Amino acid sequence: MADETSTRAPGRVELCARNVEHDWSRTPLNWIPGDPVASHAIGALNFLLPEGERMFCATFHELLPLIGDEALRRDVLGFIGQESMHAETHEAVLHQVYGARGIDPAPLIRQSEFLFRVVVGPRPGQSPRRARQHLIERAALIGGLEHLFAFLGDWILNAPLEEHGADPQMLDLFRWHGAEEVEHRNVAHDVVAYVGVGYVRRNIAMVVGVGALLVLILRNTRYLVRTDPELPTMGYLRIGRRLARSMRRGTFPRIPRLLRSAAICLAPGYSPESVGDTAQALAYLAASPSARAAAQI
């Protein structure tokens, strides 16, 4: 488990992208031994993150001309750099882990491309006014999703997955990503506030975004379970029962806790500072095996 002891608050942090290096040659599909459904449910994010993070980057690039605050611009550029690296790193997992071990990633990749490029992506041909509103709607959606990702980042940093024999490469991938989500958790919220998204609009976007993401994770989990050559066929009910067992073991986030965290966003004056610990995240990033491996290349 990552160190849960907070040190002195680090103050303002300049965000930067960190290179990482993973060796996926020995990572199994069921990377949490004895918990294949949780392995796939967490791993299902690998299929959503590459296109999702690219949509985040494209949206924030479009927003940069609207941001006159220099400190916020630096944060946005750091955010874009980190999210771009997340997209490329998770993309490699789709082929070097799933594709190499008999699960065709193409159907889920196509689903993500349609979702993030067509459904919530830019819409050419709109009037300038409507294009700006759609851009702000995308920013509000990202603000809601970033709260969820900060929650998940804090969870993975503290989950006792080593005690269950989790594959160190996959665990480090999610902890490196999760630590950066905690590190930059304020950026999307600050951008949304800067461009004038109000309380109601912000929370509608959060509820829609978080709800849709949870549905997609469950859908992707079912696909991975169904195509895993080592697992029997399971429907959603059986998968749900397995995940409830994983929640009790500490190998999957507790959904009630996640929903309580999402409800925090509904409070007037909400701040992402309430989620996660920046000092803990920075400590993990300084010690991350994949980041250290990349630094030695």
Side-chain angles (χ1 to χ4, degrees), residues 243-266:
L243 290 178
R245 189 184 311 161
S246 300
M247 291 177 208
R248 292 192 292 270
R249 296 180 71 215
T251 54
F252 193 72
R254 291 180 177 270
I255 298 302
R257 184 182 168 199
L258 185 153
L259 294 176
R260 286 196 298 272
S261 179
I264 293 172
C265 296
L266 301 176

Side-chain angles (χ1 to χ4, degrees), residues 231-253:
L231 292 181
T233 301
M234 298 186 201
Y236 288 118
L237 183 59
R238 189 174 177 187
I239 288 172
R241 288 172 177 165
R242 291 284 194 96
L243 290 178
R245 189 184 311 161
S246 300
M247 291 177 208
R248 292 192 292 270
R249 296 180 71 215
T251 54
F252 193 72

Side-chain angles (χ1 to χ4, degrees), residues 10-291:
R12 179 178 172 79
V13 176
E14 288 292 335
L15 301 175
C16 63
R18 299 171 179 86
N19 290 323
V20 291
E21 183 71 19
H22 292 96
D23 175 7
W24 298 116
S25 61
R26 293 183 295 276
T27 297
L29 288 174
N30 300 319
W31 58 276
I32 306 174
D35 215 336
V37 176
S39 297
H40 285 318
I42 298 172
L45 282 166
N46 285 305
F47 294 85
L48 294 166
L49 290 170
E51 285 298 320
E53 306 280 30
R54 290 175 187 131
M55 186 275 284
F56 287 15
C57 293
T59 300
F60 276 51
H61 267 300
E62 288 185 58
L63 283 165
L64 273 173
L66 305 180
I67 300 173
D69 182 275
E70 187 55 37
L72 183 55
R73 284 180 62 87
R74 291 200 308 272
D75 284 345
V76 168
L77 290 170
F79 176 93
I80 290 170
Q82 290 185 346
E83 299 290 43
S84 178
M85 184 63 67
H86 297 168
E88 297 307 312
T89 306
H90 286 279
E91 179 82 31
V93 175
L94 304 185
H95 306 286
Q96 296 178 29
V97 177
Y98 293 97
R101 286 154 184 74
I103 290 183
D104 180 9
L108 296 187
I109 291 174
R110 288 194 297 269
Q111 171 187 270
S112 290
E113 288 175 346
F114 176 78
L115 174 65
F116 291 109
R117 297 184 188 184
V118 178
V119 177
V120 296
R123 295 176 182 170
Q126 290 182 321
S127 68
R129 180 179 177 279
R130 184 59 196 138
R132 180 187 173 103
Q133 287 303 309
H134 183 56
L135 176 61
I136 291 174
E137 288 166 4
R138 287 154 57 201
L141 177 66
I142 293 168
L145 290 173
E146 280 292 295
H147 175 87
L148 174 63
F149 291 143
F151 169 87
L152 294 175
D154 182 54
W155 177 81
I156 197 72
L157 284 171
N158 294 291
L161 297 182
E162 298 95 335
E163 298 172 14
H164 297 278
D167 174 75
Q169 295 289 331
M170 193 69 80
L171 181 56
D172 180 61
L173 166 70
F174 281 112
R175 282 190 171 159
W176 157 74
H177 187 159
E180 290 196 342
E181 292 296 332
V182 171
E183 181 188 27
H184 70 224
R185 65 193 181 278
N186 290 293
V187 177
H189 178 77
D190 292 347
V191 168
V192 167
Y194 186 88
V195 298
V197 175
Y199 172 84
V200 173
R201 194 177 190 182
R202 172 174 65 83
N203 282 298
I204 289 174
M206 185 273 296
V207 170
V208 171
V210 170
L213 187 67
L214 293 177
V215 169
L216 287 166
I217 289 172
L218 184 58
R219 178 184 172 87
N220 287 5
T221 301
R222 185 172 183 270
Y223 174 84
L224 295 175
V225 169
R226 189 174 69 246
T227 53
D228 186 333
E230 298 181 4
L231 292 181
T233 301
M234 298 186 201
Y236 288 118
L237 183 59
R238 189 174 177 187
I239 288 172
R241 288 172 177 165
R242 291 284 194 96
L243 290 178
R245 189 184 311 161
S246 300
M247 291 177 208
R248 292 192 292 270
R249 296 180 71 215
T251 54
F252 193 72
R254 291 180 177 270
I255 298 302
R257 184 182 168 199
L258 185 153
L259 294 176
R260 286 196 298 272
S261 179
I264 293 172
C265 296
L266 301 176
Y270 155 76
S271 168
E273 283 294 327
S274 62
V275 184
D277 182 331
T278 302
Q280 181 192 28
L282 293 175
Y284 185 81
L285 291 167
S288 165
S290 59

